[in-house]
Amino acid sequence: MGIKVNLELMINTNSLLNYNGFVKEYSKDETIIKAGEEPKYYFQILEGKVKMSNFNEEGKEFIQGIFTCGESFGEPPLFIENNYPANAIALIDSRILMIKKEDFFDLLMQDKESCFGVFKALSNRLYYKSIMAPDISSHDSYKRILTLLNYLKKQSNEEEFLVNLTRQQIADLTGLRVETVIRSIKELEIRNQIRICRGKLFI
């Protein structure tokens, strides 16, 4: 999410291609990045959807972010020279624009607009982490879910927002069990804090 970054923050496609960028296609469920790998590329989605996640000691998946067309993912390790802490998986067939780390840095040094675009995208994700962190430690499942959904709605600038996440993805993003998410969503509907129509979730 990571959940959602405004499309205006993406780096111009032509700029990436001019610095030796290239397009690679990934099939649904194909691994793009493996946790522990050395970062060598900048990734930006042309078409598709990508999930970044890792697992705790009990084997439970925690989604760090879901990224869609126009968004980038996996940048922080490029700057701090650490290996990737999470996997990146294509949720659907995807086309990814990639550029080598060295060429990416050259682009940022030469193109101020692209540089600030990356800063804004990273700042947006830090903001998301900061507002989610207090509620992730909360035992109140309703609060965890509402914090996530309200953040997504705010990013969309829509009066009524369609939550394009499965119940399992909401669980993985909030650290809850999917059964808890399903039960909590039903209760939130009863409280008139969300709306469900034909299985689709609105807030």
Side-chain angles (χ1 to χ4, degrees), residues 2-20:
I3 296 292
K4 180 67 177 174
V5 179
N6 293 332
L7 294 184
E8 66 195 46
L9 302 184
M10 68 182 286
I11 296 178
N12 182 276
T13 299
N14 288 332
S15 296
L16 292 169
L17 293 173
N18 288 338
Y19 278 80
N20 303 316

Side-chain angles (χ1 to χ4, degrees), residues 142-156:
Y142 308 113
K143 189 174 183 181
R144 289 197 203 185
I145 293 169
L146 279 176
T147 298
L148 171 64
L149 301 186
N150 282 321
Y151 174 81
L152 296 175
K153 180 179 180 179
K154 182 178 178 181
Q155 290 295 101
S156 73

Side-chain angles (χ1 to χ4, degrees), residues 113-132:
E113 183 177 349
S114 295
C115 187
F116 276 96
V118 172
F119 289 162
K120 288 179 181 178
L122 292 176
S123 296
N124 188 74
R125 291 174 202 165
L126 286 172
Y127 176 77
Y128 164 74
K129 296 289 186 183
S130 69
I131 65 171
M132 285 298 296

Side-chain angles (χ1 to χ4, degrees), residues 6 38 146 185 190:
N6 293 332
E38 177 186 353
L146 279 176
I185 285 176
I190 293 171

